[in-house]
């Protein structure tokens, strides 16, 4: 006998959880499609050099990498961005620009499994590439909000910054290599002001650090933050002009309550070059950003001489669902349980039960037949466990008299119906009430 | 520079193909859920001994297996049945029986890539376990038909046999070890009658082989086939009684044109014990079965002392889609392209464009804004490539006069509209026509 077990950092999902996950994914997919974002798919397994080409040591240590049967050096994808870059380079002749795609699927990282980190988890990425326009910046920011609205979460704040603005600020303050500073500031939320200053020891004087942090802190309003940044960078700095334009459009669209300008957002990754953003649930900021991303200059540089600029965001589904569960928002999302259980009262009546089940399904009522002629109690207990609200009882007597008994398992009310039409309309009426 | 390339036997899916795949999967999921089948998920990567415990040498040779960072012997799943068995054994305390689940996801086999076989492919499994009833046999058979109807394929034949009946026939003809014979007969469709007889050389005399094949061949009608099998096995053989009962229920439901009794269907796998079935597209029988399965006695035996009987089927998505494409059925399934492209005529009007796009989406019209203020021709050419049927033109003039120009890109008709309401109703009307 083999002990049934799964690997650390990997998970099974039982129906209740998986229904919620699927429900959320479906709503996100519908939202992406409503905005012109098209689905693509890429393999779970790729050549290791293709996936790892650009990555530093940390990624390489985490990646699941091995030799396949043909001796090829292969690896499981650790994100959806690298495969997307490879995809764009490989299929450039078959695709058109600007290209909008979404991709929701599992990725794999053999990292430490503490604190809600998993080795197999789902990413939801959406990007528009082949355009450097303000319009596409705004579009991604709008799509982020629309995605959260689609899953019933309106109470969010999307924090926006601009890498070019931040670099200009640092350069105005006399720092020419922005990367180590950006990486330290990125941790502001986690390690606090003093922590950042400590990290920057040796890179910049304490007084300069204080100045940097003062400049990159939010003011009372996004307008004031923008004004101060503008003062430091100069009003004709193209990056600050861009950020201002984005903010003005969002404000004109009446959405200034959803977004904010937060220059301490830097995103650790080297490859962002324009706007960057992070999204927080207002009631649970502590779980961290649930949707992040930014603009990048060159997606495909590793694989092609072409330059493809673009902007994209990624929702961390696991962290998001953990947050929504804590907020009680997922409770209504379990829409997969059947509406009706047809009890099995007699083996002779199987054709009748299955015909009725098919008729109900044709009328958009989710229906199943209890498969064995077992005691009432056992069949009802099954309905309860599966959260089925209605039971249909047809025994030999009912069949003879042409009656259908419908029991509401929540209220315990019982209805005696004389036609399938009556049954269908009653179930639909009650279903919509619940 | 790294050459952008993917592994042999693995595939990228571009939007046109992936839209179709998602569309089919969504319809199947809705069908499964309408019948009480609930989604579950299991990891892509598992302990190798858990996945390979029961399998013979062939599976082991094909499986992607390696040592992870912690030195664990791990493997990528090669089907969804073994993980389901492990899942049922591991979560028996959290689950109820009978348990209906579906699972649609990728599996991985490093096998030969000739003849449309892939190393990464999608399986769609649905099973009901914890019941040995006739009702559950019928249910799975009905669900198979319902699934195909949901994707627009009615013209199928589901071939049904019963392992117990076949064994009884072989035993009545003097053969006590049915397995090698079953394996040979399973190839009847592929290698023909003579081929099977040749395979059985040394196992049975030619005359016995002829007799076996005669008995296991279909008659003019399922009723005649059943009558002959009944003659050979004896009328009170429980297996033939079961098969008869199933057939009678399907006939009573008016579905005898969808199903047939074909005793030459055996399914190679050792673990089927009751009814087995295969599904053929009537217009393309040559591509082989697109949905197969059967009843098994003991799903979890490898992991548990419990016995869980059940019945299930699996749709091979890749083969099915290849078939549907050949039949031209997938052409209507590309529902993901946007309905409307809002042209970018002026950077100043970006707030207007994005507000209008959001309004259209709120009205279930899929809309996108062209992100750059480029030439008309280029924007129209993009719409054509992405198969977008309508373009909305609002320049400074239109904005001043409060007009919206709508161009039907198929008919080249242009409409001058004076309100968003007019626009929305016109697009919806035309959309429904197309």
């Amino acid at each position: 006998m083999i002990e049934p077990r799964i690997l650390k950092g990997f998970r099974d999902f039982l129906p209740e959880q998986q229904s919620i996950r699927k429900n959320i994914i479906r709503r996100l997919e519908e939202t992406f499609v409503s905005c012109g974002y098209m689905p693509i798919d890429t393999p779970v397994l790729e050549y290791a050099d293709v996936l790892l080409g650009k990555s530093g040591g940390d990624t390489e240590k985490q990646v699941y990498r091995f030799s396949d049967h043909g001796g090829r050096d292969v690896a499981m994808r650790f994100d959806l961005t690298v495969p997307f870059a490879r995809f764009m380079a490989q299929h450039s002749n078959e695709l058109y620009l600007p290209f909008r795609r979404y991709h929701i699927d599992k990725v794999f990282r053999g990292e430490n499994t503490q604190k809600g980190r998993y080795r197999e988890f789902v990413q939801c990425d959406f990007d528009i590439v082949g355009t450097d326009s303000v319009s596409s910046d705004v579009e991604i920011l709008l799509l982020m909000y629309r995605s959260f609205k689609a899953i019933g979460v309106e109470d969010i704040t999307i924090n926006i910054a601009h890498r070019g603005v931040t670099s200009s600020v640092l350069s105005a303050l006399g720092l020419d290599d922005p990367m180590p500073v950006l990486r330290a500031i990125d941790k502001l939320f986690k390690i606090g002001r003093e922590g950042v200053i400590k990290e920057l020891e040796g890179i910049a004087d304490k007084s300069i650090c204080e100045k940097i942090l003062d400049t990159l802190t939010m003011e009372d309003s996004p307008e004031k933050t923008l004004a101060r940044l503008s003062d430091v960078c100069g009003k004709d700095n193209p990056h600050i002009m861009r950020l201002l334009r984005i903010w003005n459009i969002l404000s004109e669209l009446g959405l200034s309550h959803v977004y904010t300008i937060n220059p301490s957002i830097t995103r650790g990754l080297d490859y962002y070059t324009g706007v960057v953003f992070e999204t927080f649930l207002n009631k649970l900021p502590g779980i961290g950003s649930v949707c992040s991303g930014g603009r990048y200059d060159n997606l495909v540089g590793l694989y092609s001489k072409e330059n493809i600029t673009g902007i994209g965001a990624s929702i961390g589904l696991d962290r998001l669902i953990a947050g929504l569960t804590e907020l009680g928002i997922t409770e209504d999302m379990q829409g997969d349980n059947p509406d009706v259980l047809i009890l099995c009262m007699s083996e002779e009546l199987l054709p009748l039960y299955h015909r009725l089940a098919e008729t109900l399904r044709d009328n958009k009522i989710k229906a199943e037949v209890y498969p064995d002629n077992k005691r009432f109690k056992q069949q009802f207990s099954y309905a309860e466990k599966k959260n089925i609200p209605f039971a249909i009882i047809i025994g030999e007597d009912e069949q003879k008299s042409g009656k259908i008994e419908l029991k509401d398992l929540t209220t315990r009310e019982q209805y005696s119906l004389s036609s399938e039409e009556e049954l269908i309309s009653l179930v639909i009426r009650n279903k919509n009430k619940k």
Side-chain angles (χ1 to χ4, degrees), chain A:
Chain A
M1 205 101 77
I2 294 164
E3 188 203 341
R5 66 209 194 283
I6 54 176
L7 292 160
K8 209 171 101 183
F10 289 77
R11 289 167 295 171
D12 283 332
F13 290 98
L14 274 66
E16 302 78 52
Q17 306 158 294
Q18 187 61 9
S19 288
I20 292 169
R21 294 171 72 83
K22 279 199 170 282
N23 191 328
I24 290 176
I25 288 173
R26 208 169 291 133
R27 294 190 201 190
L28 292 175
E29 287 180 342
E30 280 168 16
T31 307
F32 298 155
V33 165
S34 79
C35 299
Y37 288 70
M38 306 291 285
I40 68 161
D41 191 33
T42 66
V44 166
L45 212 59
E46 299 225 20
Y47 281 104
D49 70 328
V50 165
L51 290 188
L52 290 167
K54 205 180 178 174
S55 305
D58 269 3
T59 310
E60 195 148 352
K61 259 181 262 160
Q62 289 174 359
V63 88
Y64 287 99
R65 180 177 184 171
F66 60 97
S67 262
D68 80 354
H69 309 83
R72 298 172 202 90
D73 181 13
V74 299
M76 294 169 80
R77 65 177 171 215
F78 56 88
D79 74 2
L80 301 176
T81 305
V82 175
F84 178 46
R86 196 265 309 145
F87 178 97
M88 287 306 299
Q90 191 169 341
H91 301 287
S92 59
N93 291 332
E94 302 152 82
L95 297 171
Y96 46 84
L97 293 179
F99 185 70
R100 294 171 171 95
R101 83 90 169 77
Y102 77 84
H103 195 181
I104 304 179
D105 218 334
K106 288 179 175 178
V107 301
F108 305 85
R109 291 183 198 169
E111 62 188 338
N112 230 316
T113 53
Q114 295 156 343
K115 295 179 253 161
R117 284 196 182 263
Y118 302 103
R119 291 180 172 168
E120 176 185 64
F121 56 100
V122 172
Q123 286 194 332
C124 310
D125 280 22
F126 46 101
D127 292 75
I128 171 169
V129 299
T131 172
D132 182 34
S133 56
V134 171
S135 184
S136 55
D137 289 348
V138 170
E139 174 174 319
I140 287 287
L141 289 163
L142 290 175
L143 179 48
M144 289 165 68
Y145 180 45
R146 200 172 179 85
S147 299
F148 281 93
K149 278 196 293 182
I151 52 177
V153 188
E154 302 234 5
D155 195 13
I156 58 168
T157 303
I158 298 174
N159 289 249
I160 311 171
H162 191 299
R163 269 290 180 88
V165 170
T166 315
S167 297
S168 300
V169 165
L170 296 178
S171 156
L173 296 174
L175 276 157
D176 284 331
D177 178 15
M179 276 320 298
V181 185
L182 290 176
R183 271 192 221 103
I185 294 168
D186 197 34
K187 299 182 193 157
L188 184 59
F189 185 83
K190 254 194 227 160
I191 61 177
R193 197 181 161 94
E194 291 310 311
V196 173
I197 290 176
K198 204 164 174 200
E199 286 236 346
L200 287 177
E201 262 174 27
I203 295 169
D205 285 348
K206 194 166 180 207
S207 67
I208 302 235
C209 286
E210 300 269 5
K211 218 165 180 177
I212 293 170
L213 283 167
D214 285 342
T215 316
L216 296 180
T217 301
M218 284 196 278
E219 299 275 349
D220 306 348
S221 75
E223 287 76 14
K224 283 190 194 163
T225 309
L226 284 163
R228 197 189 40 204
L229 291 170
S230 189
D231 284 346
V232 180
C233 300
K235 287 200 191 324
D236 51 357
N237 178 299
H239 307 307
I240 192 77
M241 285 168 71
R242 173 90 166 222
L243 191 55
L244 257 167
R245 176 80 178 123
I246 293 168
W247 180 255
N248 288 337
I249 295 175
L250 294 171
S251 302
E252 246 189 89
L253 292 171
L255 294 172
S256 52
H257 60 292
V258 179
Y259 301 89
T260 194
I261 301 293
N262 181 354
S264 78
I265 299 287
T266 66
R267 304 296 305 148
L269 293 169
D270 295 15
Y271 78 112
Y272 289 120
T273 51
V275 286
V276 287
F277 32 76
E278 294 187 349
T279 308
F280 297 91
L281 305 178
N282 291 342
K283 291 212 180 80
L284 279 180
I287 64 168
S289 172
V290 288
C291 179
S292 316
R295 170 167 293 284
Y296 39 83
D297 256 354
N298 192 2
L299 182 70
V300 300
L302 197 59
Y303 313 106
S304 164
K305 279 176 212 152
E306 272 184 285
N307 243 13
I308 301 187
T309 179
I311 177 166
S314 182
I315 297 175
L317 197 72
D318 296 282
R319 184 184 287 181
L320 175 62
I321 290 178
L324 299 188
T325 306
E326 203 171 328
L327 294 173
I329 293 174
T330 51
E331 280 159 27
D332 308 331
M333 288 189 171
Q334 250 183 66
D336 285 345
N337 22 311
D339 302 309
V340 163
L341 176 68
I342 300 172
L343 299 195
C344 181
M345 311 289 290
S346 154
E347 294 279 342
E348 293 305 311
L349 297 179
L350 281 181
L352 186 155
Y353 297 149
H354 283 287
R355 181 182 287 133
L356 178 59
E358 288 284 90
T359 305
L360 292 172
R361 292 163 193 153
D362 289 342
N363 286 279
K364 304 210 178 299
I365 293 168
K366 301 193 287 291
E368 57 175 73
V369 179
Y370 192 88
D372 295 277
N373 185 6
K374 294 214 166 140
R375 283 173 305 129
F376 253 130
K377 207 182 141 188
Q378 195 164 346
Q379 300 195 41
F380 280 128
S381 141
Y382 167 83
E384 200 182 332
K385 276 180 204 139
K386 203 165 172 177
N387 220 351
I388 307 177
F390 294 102
I392 290 173
I393 304 161
I394 307 175
E396 315 258 329
D397 291 350
E398 285 80 11
Q399 192 227 358
K400 270 174 209 147
S401 61
K403 286 281 175 196
I404 302 169
E405 297 291 315
L406 178 74
K407 186 162 182 159
D408 184 323
L409 298 173
T410 329
T411 64
R412 309 255 159 198
E413 278 173 286
Q414 191 154 330
Y415 309 87
S416 192
L417 308 165
S418 35
S419 75
E420 287 183 1
E421 293 71 39
E422 250 184 82
L423 170 69
I424 289 164
S425 59
L426 186 65
V427 172
I428 289 176
R429 223 168 33 241
N430 276 280
K431 190 182 151 180
N432 292 339
K433 263 194 283 176
K434 295 200 175 186

